[in-house]
Amino acid sequence: MKEKCFANGRIIDVEKGCLRPETEIWVEDGRITRLSRGQAPQDAVDLRGSVVLPGLFNVHTHIQFDSTPAGAVIYASQPRFTLSAVKNLRKYLDSGVTYIRDMGGADYVDLELRNMVREGLVPGPEMAASGKNLSATGGQSWQNGVEVDGKAACIRAVREQCKKDADWIKLMASGGSKTPRTSRYAPQFSLEEMQTVVEEANRLERGVAAHAMGGESARFAAMAGVTSIEHGYFLEEETLDLMAEKGIYYVPTLAISYFLRNNRGKPGVTEEMADKAERDLEVQRRSLLAARERGVVLCVGTDACSPYNDHDGTGHELAAMCECGLTAAEALRAATVNSAKLCGVFAERGSIAPGKRADFALFAENPLEDIAAITRCAAVIQNGKFAKNFVSAGENPQKND
Ligand SMILES: [Zn+2]
């Protein structure tokens, strides 16, 4: 394939957190070959007026669960789950997300769709998937997961998910609002069970993502050495120290509380729910800033499917991070470099550099100046081709050649 040139776009250097002058990005076979200045050929694709970011990440998704004002639709038939997933994959792509890490669903729809996206049969971001989550009997999300109790069952369940070709093991370390009469902070597995899951998953070259709302459940997960802690609303000092020391990633999923608070009074969101979300956000803010202070690596995941938290809302997680006190540059790094490292794909993705995938998210305004710009993705290039074209008929190109 002939080398193609995307010219006149202004790249955000996500590692340094700055906007570069207009640059040419040369692409061949879906990869960046080189960057240049002032060398645009006549047939270059003109990206003038666009701010160019590497394709964004969302490392906590549930593609098959639809978001409704009443919450996620987690009981549905396989055809419905499958079609919802196809529709939601498109939403990620259209909002600038070119890599997702799916955190559990039903019937292994996620694993099949991951393969179909790779085969080019379904449009969507590149994805890693975790199959069925591991729950204690009656524990968080047992309805769609595998219920495991004791060391032998933990080993078997990890092996079973790997046999199905899951990329990640999702461990439900604590309860949460989706499962009645479960505690947010109490561990649902013994420390020994969590350690067993991590040991077996790592032996099979998989990471473990622990759903842990905080408190002792997150501490156990950190002690067990999981790869990432999901949610982590309330993180104790000891847990944060362990995360920093062991390099455990933090996916705070602020979007859940953020959207609830922002949609106070809308159908399905009572005053109590909005109040609680506001209180949660304050607790989350403290954990987030304490984590940042210790150098814990922060990533972007939205857990889309909770009320008003739809699959096209990844940018709002960055807005929520900034509201909590992160800089725009830090939020952008969380959505690119950091999340790419968590997913083990930084050699391929997460910044714009020679050798990497030509996946770009384009914006009309600079999100470094106003992070809200990140919620308005103008166009998306995936593997060097437009996956989403500019909408308005301006000077910008509309075609792939
Ligand atoms: Zn989740």
Side-chain angles (χ1 to χ4, degrees):
M1 210 171 98
K2 193 176 155 281
E3 199 177 37
K4 189 152 108 184
C5 179
F6 293 91
N8 306 319
R10 300 197 67 190
I11 297 174
I12 290 186
D13 182 327
V14 284
E15 286 174 283
K16 292 197 183 116
C18 63
L19 188 66
R20 286 197 198 151
E22 293 182 348
T23 305
E24 292 102 42
I25 311 172
W26 297 80
V27 173
E28 195 173 354
D29 294 330
R31 279 178 197 279
I32 302 166
T33 49
R34 61 198 167 99
L35 303 176
S36 66
R37 294 206 58 210
Q39 294 174 25
Q42 281 219 314
D43 64 348
V45 182
D46 188 10
L47 301 181
R48 193 177 302 277
S50 292
V51 172
V52 187
L53 273 163
L56 305 177
F57 279 68
N58 188 325
V59 300
H60 193 125
T61 68
H62 299 279
I63 53 167
Q64 66 199 76
F65 300 154
D66 278 333
S67 161
T68 74
V73 179
I74 56 167
Y75 309 102
S77 67
Q78 203 178 84
R80 192 185 172 112
F81 272 150
T82 306
L83 288 172
S84 287
V86 169
K87 169 175 58 75
N88 293 332
L89 281 171
R90 184 80 238 180
K91 290 187 180 183
Y92 285 105
L93 207 48
D94 284 349
S95 52
V97 176
T98 58
Y99 192 103
I100 60 172
R101 186 180 67 146
D102 209 60
M103 291 278 78
D107 305 330
Y108 301 108
V109 168
D110 54 342
L111 301 179
E112 197 61 71
L113 277 167
R114 171 200 63 192
N115 298 343
M116 291 179 79
V117 166
R118 276 189 201 152
E119 289 162 32
L121 298 170
V122 172
E126 170 70 16
M127 73 186 268
S130 56
K132 293 192 177 189
N133 57 258
L134 272 51
S135 306
T137 294
Q140 174 75 1
S141 297
W142 60 267
Q143 298 90 337
N144 285 318
V146 195
E147 292 176 289
V148 288
D149 308 290
K151 279 180 77 168
C154 286
I155 292 173
R156 181 168 179 84
V158 169
R159 290 179 184 171
E160 221 168 62
Q161 294 309 303
C162 293
K163 181 182 171 189
K164 293 281 185 189
D165 203 17
D167 306 298
W168 283 84
I169 298 300
K170 174 80 181 294
L171 177 68
M172 310 312 276
S174 79
S177 55
K178 263 185 239 163
T179 313
R181 298 188 71 173
T182 58
S183 158
R184 275 183 155 191
Y185 299 147
Q188 294 199 325
F189 288 97
S190 67
L191 178 58
E192 195 187 29
E193 286 171 321
M194 292 197 208
Q195 283 164 335
T196 304
V197 168
V198 170
E199 201 177 303
E200 191 60 18
N202 291 353
R203 200 179 64 75
L204 294 169
E205 297 175 354
R206 264 76 163 190
V208 176
H211 162 107
M213 297 297 285
E216 195 173 36
S217 70
R219 177 153 39 92
F220 275 19
M223 285 164 78
V226 299
T227 310
S228 64
I229 287 184
E230 311 294 310
H231 315 305
Y233 283 27
F234 165 62
L235 296 176
E236 304 158 323
E237 306 243 315
E238 192 187 332
T239 308
L240 288 160
D241 289 340
L242 278 169
M243 289 171 75
E245 184 191 310
K246 296 188 179 193
I248 297 171
Y249 295 81
Y250 179 23
V251 188
T253 65
L254 307 171
I256 307 169
S257 316
Y258 185 78
F259 279 111
L260 274 173
R261 185 206 60 187
N262 291 0
N263 288 283
R264 180 187 290 274
K266 297 252 185 76
V269 185
T270 61
E271 287 296 310
E272 290 94 317
M273 285 164 78
D275 286 345
K276 183 165 169 274
E278 210 166 315
R279 287 196 302 275
D280 281 344
L281 212 48
E282 174 53 26
V283 173
Q284 291 173 279
R285 187 182 66 83
R286 278 185 246 141
S287 294
L288 186 73
L289 295 181
R292 172 228 231 171
E293 202 182 292
R294 284 170 174 79
V296 173
V297 183
L298 310 170
C299 298
V300 163
T302 56
D303 205 12
C305 70
S306 62
Y308 298 93
N309 179 12
D310 206 349
H311 299 268
D312 54 4
T314 305
H316 294 272
E317 177 73 14
L318 283 77
M321 284 176 152
C322 291
E323 185 191 301
C324 286
L326 260 57
T327 65
E330 285 174 314
L332 290 173
R333 214 170 289 135
T336 54
V337 179
N338 299 357
S339 290
K341 286 182 178 166
L342 162 62
C343 295
V345 296
F346 187 59
E348 287 266 302
R349 299 164 189 281
S351 67
I352 297 176
K356 296 211 178 191
R357 287 260 147 224
D359 284 4
F360 315 121
L362 278 57
F363 300 85
E365 307 133 285
N366 180 5
L368 283 170
E369 276 166 20
D370 176 13
I371 197 66
I374 200 83
T375 64
R376 298 184 288 270
C377 178
V380 179
I381 293 166
Q382 187 183 34
N383 292 320
K385 290 183 175 167
F386 277 97
K388 177 192 181 181
N389 279 320
F390 294 97
V391 182
S392 61
E395 56 205 271
N396 287 315
Q398 299 280 324
K399 59 174 187 350
N400 281 313
D401 33 310

